[in-house]
Amino acid sequence: MGRYIIRRLLYLVAVLLVVSAITFGLMHAVPGGPFDREKALPPEIMANLEKRYHLDDPLIVQYFNYLSDVILPQFSTQPPSVALEDDALLKFQVGGIYVRWMNFGPSFSSRSRTVNDIFRQQLPISGQLGLMALLVALLIGMPLGIFSALKQNTIFDYLGMSVAIFGVSVPVIVLGPLMIWIFGVVLGWFPPTGWGSKPPYVLGLFPSDLSWNGFWKFAIMPSVALGLGSSAIIARLTRASLLQVVREDYIRTARAKGLRERMITIRHALKNSLIPVVTILGPMFAALVTGTFVTELTFGIPGMGRYFVTSITNRDYPVIMGTILLYAFFLVIANLVVDIIYAYLDPRIRYD
């Protein structure tokens, strides 16, 4: 298992290289540039801006300079300066050597901030929303799918799948304003928008002051709105997988031995039916944690989604590259965790 994990982590570098090359080529193929305005800037100013951000270099030179700053770690015997050009997401010291890694560079649309500044400030908020939405999806989807499978073709099964179809069919752009109007405006149970106060974070994600008014009151509506669609997918997949497993020979053998139905369901059927469900949790986790634009915009949450969309319209190349590489990083790590969980769920799966 250890060699497999190391091998997958090495593959991570190859994945980032391929994703960065494709993203770099596509964003430069789109007409327009980061400094194009409705009223064109004077040629002297354009030349100075392109020289400052090295946009006057050939594209191949720009790409390899970007790789040297982002993917390859930088080593130095001198402590890093505080300039924007030296801002790295990871900075640490090993003996007398200073290591800098993942320097995404300054943002073109926000001259006083770097891409890493945006990550440090907005990514924890998107991470909070994504993790809670994933928790909502699991708490709703798993029991709903299990109950529908055990009560197949009954009123409970039809009711559960109706809820799942509702979750898949109604997008966040419709469900979010509806929840704001009912629970935020009419009933007044939750604040319509916002993300609460910002006390010190625990593990970089959740506030240390987990009070009702300080955090959870703001988090419930957007988490449910974002997680309901994912819960519907989990519910339908859990039901289909569990229905297939309960018809297997070893389930009939367990019943013939006189085991209790609850033990058969939990220990034998459910564990073996979770592999398809765990498979979709990897990309689902990466998509939720890195930010969802519609949910954050609807509920006024200052997360990563808004920056990703506006960076495309503004041709903000460093933010585009940074957010896509960040998503690719989370996706690869999430899939690695999923593969490790496979070995726990099915003892027949071995990686060594």
Side-chain angles (χ1 to χ4, degrees), residues 66 137 146 155-157 204 206 217 246 301 313 317 334 349:
Y66 186 83
I146 295 171
I155 185 62
F156 303 104
D157 183 19
F206 293 100
K217 225 173 182 182
V246 295
I301 299 173
T313 57
Y317 297 151
I349 298 177

Side-chain angles (χ1 to χ4, degrees), residues 291-298 301 304-310:
T292 302
F293 172 70
V294 175
T295 306
E296 293 176 355
L297 182 64
T298 302
I301 299 173
M304 283 290 301
R306 176 170 62 89
Y307 285 91
F308 178 61
V309 175
T310 55

Side-chain angles (χ1 to χ4, degrees), residues 18-53:
V18 173
V19 171
S20 64
I22 296 174
T23 305
F24 188 88
L26 289 177
M27 71 182 185
H28 282 87
V30 176
F35 306 114
D36 290 347
R37 301 292 184 270
E38 185 176 352
K39 182 180 180 181
L41 295 175
E44 296 82 5
I45 296 179
M46 285 291 296
N48 290 333
L49 288 173
E50 290 179 352
K51 184 177 181 180
R52 177 184 177 184
Y53 295 107

Side-chain angles (χ1 to χ4, degrees), residues 5 103 114 126 161 287 308-309 316 322:
I5 294 175
N103 179 15
T114 65
S126 294
M161 288 302 99
F308 178 61
V309 175
D316 198 341

Side-chain angles (χ1 to χ4, degrees), residues 76-88:
S76 175
T77 56
Q78 300 295 327
S81 65
V82 294
L84 292 179
E85 291 78 8
D86 290 330
D87 182 47

Side-chain angles (χ1 to χ4, degrees), residues 66-146:
Y66 186 83
L67 288 185
S68 65
D69 289 335
V70 175
I71 297 181
L72 300 178
Q74 303 292 317
F75 303 94
S76 175
T77 56
Q78 300 295 327
S81 65
V82 294
L84 292 179
E85 291 78 8
D86 290 330
D87 182 47
L89 197 61
L90 295 177
K91 298 179 182 179
F92 54 92
Q93 182 179 1
V94 180
I97 304 297
Y98 294 91
V99 183
R100 297 166 51 251
W101 190 38
M102 300 181 71
N103 179 15
F104 292 100
S107 171
F108 291 163
S109 58
S110 179
R111 310 292 173 79
S112 60
R113 302 176 68 194
T114 65
V115 179
N116 289 333
D117 288 333
I118 297 174
F119 288 166
R120 295 186 189 102
Q121 296 172 16
Q122 269 66 48
L123 185 58
I125 298 176
S126 294
Q128 294 169 15
L129 176 61
L131 288 175
M132 287 187 293
L134 186 62
L135 180 62
V136 168
L138 290 173
L139 291 178
I140 296 177
M142 290 288 293
L144 199 63
I146 295 171

